[in-house]
Amino acid sequence: MESIDKKCTPLKREYDECFNKWYSEKFLDGKESNDCTAVFKTYQKCLREALKEQGLTKMIDDARPAIGSVFNDSDN
Amino acid sequence: ILNQDVDPVTGVLRTERLIMVRQNVPMLVRKIFGGDTSYVLEYSEVDPRKQTLVMQSQNMTYSNLLSVGECITYTPDPENPKHTLFTQSAQLKASGALCRFANKIEDICWNRFQDNAHIGKLGLEQVVSKILAERQAMMMPMTQTASD
């Protein structure tokens, strides 16, 4: 699947690969430390810029309470 | 993936996902709704210790007209821990300009939802099969070495 913004797709694929490997080899066996943090940060930065450009940030913030999300983007 | 982390205390994997859907809609519908692209926000928690998965999603676009919230859970079956219990619930609410037709629209959406409901479960079953196959493939060289 592609990213919402085409320019983030390669970063998404890189993260997906790292995540899938970590998830099936480590996380499910109880080893929780995640080796994909750096890859994720790069991907997330691209994504946040894209969301801002597309004007989706407020819509996301408004939808968070309805789904019980623990995240908010004021950390960055 | 908008956000993802593992809670250091509970070990729960928490993920926030943004899903963009583009559907072929008739021109008239596109004019009324202002486009063919819609967005859904999804939040999920995977608890490897309790072996549970909970997912909640909500449409972001058109929510002033039709709100769809869905909650899906996968938990070990209390009567047989080797089995998994799958539950799915959804809340549909038509409002605003669609109020007059609210009941009818909710019924149409609900039928469509029921038709599609099993697809999510099938998708997960496919992913599980894939993961099991990959683990099997990884273990095979060890088996061959041992048998030599």
Side-chain angles (χ1 to χ4, degrees):
Chain A
M1 220 183 286
E2 282 195 1
S3 172
I4 280 177
D5 189 328
K6 283 198 165 63
K7 67 174 186 281
C8 299
T9 300
L11 297 170
K12 173 179 151 61
R13 297 238 195 278
E14 206 187 328
Y15 177 65
D16 283 349
E17 217 179 286
C18 182
F19 174 81
N20 288 340
K21 194 163 187 281
W22 166 78
Y23 187 81
S24 49
E25 290 174 16
K26 297 205 178 151
F27 182 70
L28 293 179
D29 282 337
K31 300 175 195 116
E32 290 154 10
S33 69
N34 190 339
D35 311 320
C36 302
T37 322
V39 177
F40 182 61
K41 279 203 155 55
T42 318
Y43 163 50
Q44 198 185 35
K45 189 162 174 269
C46 178
L47 196 55
R48 288 213 174 146
E49 273 169 25
L51 292 176
K52 226 169 161 181
E53 277 168 29
Q54 294 187 33
L56 295 172
T57 320
K58 183 174 185 303
M59 201 165 49
I60 292 169
D61 284 338
D62 289 343
R64 281 200 167 111
I67 56 169
S69 173
V70 303
F71 297 108
N72 65 65
D73 287 330
S74 55
D75 300 334
N76 271 19
Chain B
I1 308 277
L2 298 185
N3 283 294
Q4 189 165 55
D5 69 13
V6 176
D7 184 310
V9 173
T10 61
V12 170
L13 173 69
R14 307 174 304 190
T15 307
E16 200 181 56
R17 260 193 342 157
L18 177 66
I19 301 157
M20 179 177 83
V21 182
R22 216 172 250 147
Q23 291 176 316
N24 283 330
V25 295
M27 183 60 83
L28 180 61
V29 177
R30 203 178 300 190
K31 284 200 165 144
I32 294 172
F33 290 102
D36 59 356
T37 307
S38 56
Y39 296 94
V40 174
L41 193 65
E42 177 199 88
Y43 175 71
S44 62
E45 288 189 355
V46 179
D47 189 332
R49 296 174 200 171
K50 292 187 193 159
Q51 299 203 310
T52 60
L53 163 61
V54 180
M55 300 161 64
Q56 291 185 91
S57 65
Q58 173 78 45
N59 65 308
M60 297 196 308
T61 29
Y62 318 132
S63 50
N64 56 324
L65 293 174
L66 181 71
S67 162
V68 182
E70 183 186 56
C71 182
I72 292 176
T73 68
Y74 290 88
T75 54
D77 183 344
E79 288 169 28
N80 185 349
K82 287 203 171 167
H83 290 169
T84 303
L85 263 183
F86 167 78
T87 70
Q88 186 173 23
S89 64
Q91 214 181 41
L92 282 87
K93 198 175 147 198
S95 55
L98 299 181
C99 252
R100 271 183 63 199
F101 311 104
N103 280 342
K104 186 65 187 162
I105 288 175
E106 285 169 8
D107 284 344
I108 293 170
C109 290
W110 179 243
N111 286 338
R112 183 109 200 273
F113 183 85
Q114 283 185 312
D115 290 340
N116 290 338
H118 67 289
I119 293 176
K121 186 162 76 83
L122 283 176
L124 190 78
E125 284 169 4
Q126 277 183 354
V127 171
V128 169
S129 301
K130 198 164 172 237
I131 292 177
L132 285 174
E134 279 172 23
R135 282 178 77 131
Q136 203 86 337
M138 279 190 323
M139 276 157 49
M140 276 191 66
M142 285 168 62
T143 323
Q144 285 170 0
T145 320
S147 69
D148 277 355

